[in-house]
Amino acid sequence: MSSTRDMTQLLRGKGEMLSELKRVIDQVSREKGVDREVLIKTLEEAVKAAARKKFGSNYDLEVNFNDEVGEIEVFEFKEVVDKVTNEHLQISLEEAHKVDPESEPGDSLGVKMGTDEFGRIAAQSAKQVIMQRLREAERNVVFGDYKDRRGEIVHGIVQRFDKGSIIVNLGRTEAELPLREQVPKETYKQGDRVRAYILDVKQFSRGPQIVLSRTHPNFVSALFENEVPEISEKIVSVVQVAREPGSRSKIAVTSKDSDVDPVGACVGMKGTRVQAVVQELRGEKIDIVTYDPDPAKFICNALAPAEIVRVIVDEDGRSMQVVVPDDQLSLAIGKKGQNVRLASKISGWHLDVVSESNYNRALKEVYDMLLKLEGVGEKTALDLYQAGFRSASDLASADVSELMELKDMTEEKALKIIESAGEYTRNRAAQEKAQAEAQVEAQAEAQAQEENEVSEGADQKEEGMSEEMPFPAETPEDQSPESRVEDAVGHEKS
């Protein structure tokens, strides 16, 4: 702030010091990165505010910066009149001729004032205005520098911690790395260097807020753009990124040049390029796959290294059933389902990964069910299955026009199949209901039998205890008077 203090001292000093004002303006402009015209306008406003504070609001004042001599000039304007009624805004013709002999009534006469007349309080007021405007100008400059840098990677130093957020010093300003944008396993201490992705730039009255992220998927693509020249040259492009921060990422790439392998370009010689990204992400695993406009082929690439036997696509529901060999099922699904989850994210399709044996078993069940319907032969059953009809209920709720799209299908045959499927569904529902009722009845009988057995066991236990328990001996209180007399007589005889 030394340059700002110099500027204030010049405003408060003598006329010869004002000649240095131009040098100070240039110095502040360089140091703060604020436009020179903005500084000059700020100075003019500050001096005008100081003059108003000194003389009041009854004066007609004008402040300009004279760039030739490098000083602030303050002019007091008064209207030339024959008779003065307001001495602050008017001047007599006689007095006006002393300043300008050619003055006439109605002219506006400007008289230059000395800035040393403002005094200490006015200079302090000017300083406050300058500081306020300078801070606003600095904030606007910072916002202007960063508002178009969303999506870039910046370097900074960890400054402090605030309620879980990390405040990062970017040099001219500070940025915030919120807790939600931090990778859970990463830890930092004050003074550590950090690279992050500019997620957002917001303008507030207290200044711009720059929000950083290390968990955003685009952070990975931005790191690859820095490491892979083919990406920055637009030969290779990153199509999509799916990420579970701190654990694993999948990145889909494609190439405009058939001679350039997009995956090889991202991996680099002996894996140097991808290892640089992995190191920055602190060991996060990265799968680089080739993008394909065909969703089925793209899924096969995304689930690599697992082998894919068959892909059944449901375009309406944006879902796919992926069939893999039995020994490849765990590889395709990944640890805790991570591989298939990332493949689903990167493709935008819902994936159902099944083993080949389970698929064949389910296929046989559906195929056998379709063959039970009236008017369905082996070829029609295969056509229906390939069209996405996996159950009788699917056919029962289908429209005739949907079935008419199948090869060699007639309207009469379609109606017969739908009717047969409805009857099959109703019969199946009735059977399942009867089975459920029988099961409930069997459970009730078993429960009743169990309760009877428990009750019988309790009764037998009570009977056994009553047989074993002896009668209690009579106490003198329980004996009758005759018994007590007989006992007493027998005792005397003995």
Side-chain angles (χ1 to χ4, degrees):
M1 291 294 180
S2 60
S3 301
T4 310
R5 285 198 297 270
D6 292 344
M7 189 182 299
T8 309
Q9 289 169 359
L10 290 175
L11 286 171
R12 202 167 51 197
K14 302 297 181 182
E16 59 271 13
M17 291 183 67
L18 286 171
S19 60
E20 299 181 16
L21 191 56
K22 186 176 180 180
R23 176 186 61 79
V24 176
I25 290 173
D26 293 337
Q27 182 182 348
V28 173
S29 179
R30 287 194 304 271
E31 290 179 359
K32 302 295 183 181
V34 181
D35 186 66
R36 191 172 182 273
E37 294 301 321
V38 174
L39 280 176
I40 291 173
K41 187 177 180 181
T42 300
L43 274 173
E44 291 173 350
E45 291 178 0
V47 173
K48 191 171 185 178
R52 294 241 181 244
K53 193 172 186 69
K54 172 68 176 176
F55 302 109
S57 59
N58 293 328
Y59 288 80
D60 184 10
L61 302 175
E62 186 175 306
V63 180
N64 292 303
F65 177 73
N66 191 330
D67 209 351
E68 293 181 1
V69 297
E71 67 177 28
I72 290 285
E73 296 177 339
V74 182
F75 291 92
E76 179 187 5
F77 284 87
K78 291 184 178 182
E79 183 183 1
V80 180
V81 294
D82 294 325
K83 185 179 180 180
V84 177
T85 57
N86 186 339
E87 60 179 11
H88 298 310
L89 299 176
Q90 296 173 340
I91 187 173
S92 65
L93 184 59
E94 184 181 349
E95 292 294 326
H97 282 161
K98 293 178 182 179
V99 179
D100 184 3
E102 298 181 358
S103 298
E104 295 180 1
D107 289 348
S108 181
L109 187 64
V111 180
K112 185 177 179 181
M113 303 173 65
T115 54
D116 53 349
E117 297 179 16
F118 295 164
R120 183 182 61 81
I121 296 176
Q124 187 67 24
S125 175
K127 178 182 178 181
Q128 291 174 356
V129 174
I130 290 171
M131 296 293 288
Q132 181 182 354
R133 294 291 188 272
L134 195 57
R135 281 193 294 268
E136 290 176 1
E138 281 187 275
R139 288 195 290 261
N140 291 334
V141 168
V142 170
F143 180 73
D145 287 346
Y146 283 93
K147 68 177 181 179
D148 296 325
R149 294 184 62 185
R150 292 182 181 90
E152 293 185 13
I153 292 179
V154 290
H155 300 252
I157 298 174
V158 176
Q159 187 89 3
R160 64 183 186 278
F161 302 90
D162 182 17
K163 299 178 182 178
S165 297
I166 300 174
I167 308 303
V168 181
N169 185 356
L170 300 181
R172 294 183 58 187
T173 187
E174 292 180 345
E176 180 186 5
L177 181 60
L179 182 62
R180 66 180 181 277
E181 300 297 337
Q182 299 172 29
V183 178
K185 296 179 182 178
E186 294 182 352
T187 56
Y188 296 92
K189 60 181 182 296
Q190 195 171 5
D192 285 352
R193 297 192 65 84
V194 61
R195 293 173 75 187
Y197 174 83
I198 299 179
L199 183 63
D200 198 7
V201 181
K202 303 175 183 177
Q203 179 72 297
F204 295 101
S205 58
R206 64 180 182 274
Q209 182 188 24
I210 302 169
V211 183
L212 304 179
S213 174
R214 282 184 61 85
T215 61
H216 200 279
N218 289 345
F219 181 46
V220 178
S221 58
L223 287 171
F224 271 102
E225 187 174 351
N226 289 346
E227 295 293 336
V228 182
E230 289 86 349
I231 294 179
S232 56
E233 293 170 4
K234 309 298 182 184
I235 299 173
V236 174
S237 59
V238 178
V239 180
Q240 189 60 272
V241 179
R243 189 181 180 201
E244 292 188 357
S247 179
R248 196 179 202 94
S249 292
K250 278 187 185 290
I251 176 171
V253 293
T254 186
S255 174
K256 293 180 180 178
D257 190 343
S258 58
D259 295 332
V260 177
D261 176 21
V263 176
C266 293
V267 172
M269 185 71 69
K270 297 182 180 179
T272 52
R273 293 175 178 176
V274 70
Q275 283 303 317
V277 177
V278 170
Q279 186 175 358
E280 176 57 40
L281 297 176
R282 303 194 178 187
E284 184 175 313
K285 296 180 178 63
I286 299 177
D287 298 332
I288 306 172
V289 300
T290 304
Y291 173 77
D292 197 297
D294 183 349
K297 291 181 180 178
F298 182 36
I299 288 299
C300 293
N301 296 338
L303 288 174
E307 216 177 288
I308 309 299
V309 175
R310 185 179 287 104
V311 178
I312 298 94
V313 181
D314 178 11
E315 293 187 358
D316 294 335
R318 284 193 67 80
S319 62
M320 295 187 191
Q321 187 178 37
V322 182
V323 184
V324 299
D326 290 15
D327 60 345
Q328 298 271 305
L329 182 62
S330 59
L331 182 63
I333 293 175
K335 185 179 180 181
K336 296 181 180 179
Q338 188 181 64
N339 192 47
V340 69
R341 193 162 55 246
L342 288 173
S344 179
K345 283 182 182 179
I346 201 172
S347 64
W349 288 69
H350 174 73
L351 303 180
D352 179 22
V353 180
V354 296
S355 64
E356 192 172 12
S357 58
N358 287 341
Y359 171 78
N360 290 335
R361 190 181 305 113
L363 177 62
K364 186 176 184 305
E365 290 176 359
V366 174
Y367 193 72
D368 291 344
M369 180 275 297
L370 291 174
L371 288 175
K372 293 177 182 178
L373 301 179
E374 186 178 353
V376 177
E378 292 185 359
K379 183 179 180 306
T380 306
L382 184 60
D383 291 341
L384 288 170
Y385 185 86
Q386 290 178 346
F389 296 102
R390 300 287 189 268
S391 65
S393 58
D394 289 347
L395 282 169
S397 60
D399 191 58
V400 176
S401 59
E402 294 180 52
L403 269 63
M404 290 291 290
E405 294 177 3
L406 300 179
K407 188 178 180 181
D408 298 332
M409 181 65 67
T410 62
E411 185 175 354
E412 182 182 356
K413 186 177 181 181
L415 285 169
K416 187 181 292 185
I417 292 174
I418 293 173
E419 184 179 348
S420 177
E423 185 178 353
Y424 181 89
T425 303
R426 289 190 293 273
N427 293 339
R428 185 68 180 268
Q431 290 176 4
E432 290 177 355
K433 184 179 179 181
Q435 290 175 358
E437 290 176 350
Q439 187 176 0
V440 170
E441 187 176 348
Q443 289 177 351
E445 289 178 359
Q447 187 175 358
Q449 185 177 355
E450 185 179 352
E451 290 176 354
N452 289 336
E453 291 175 357
V454 172
S455 177
E456 290 175 3
D459 293 342
Q460 291 175 1
K461 187 175 181 181
E462 288 180 4
E463 290 176 3
M465 290 178 64
S466 61
E467 290 176 0
E468 295 174 3
M469 185 178 295
F471 291 104
E474 289 185 350
T475 61
E477 290 78 4
D478 297 330
Q479 292 177 340
S480 64
E482 293 81 3
S483 299
R484 286 200 295 270
V485 171
E486 291 175 1
D487 289 343
V489 172
H491 181 67
E492 288 177 359
K493 288 181 179 180
S494 63

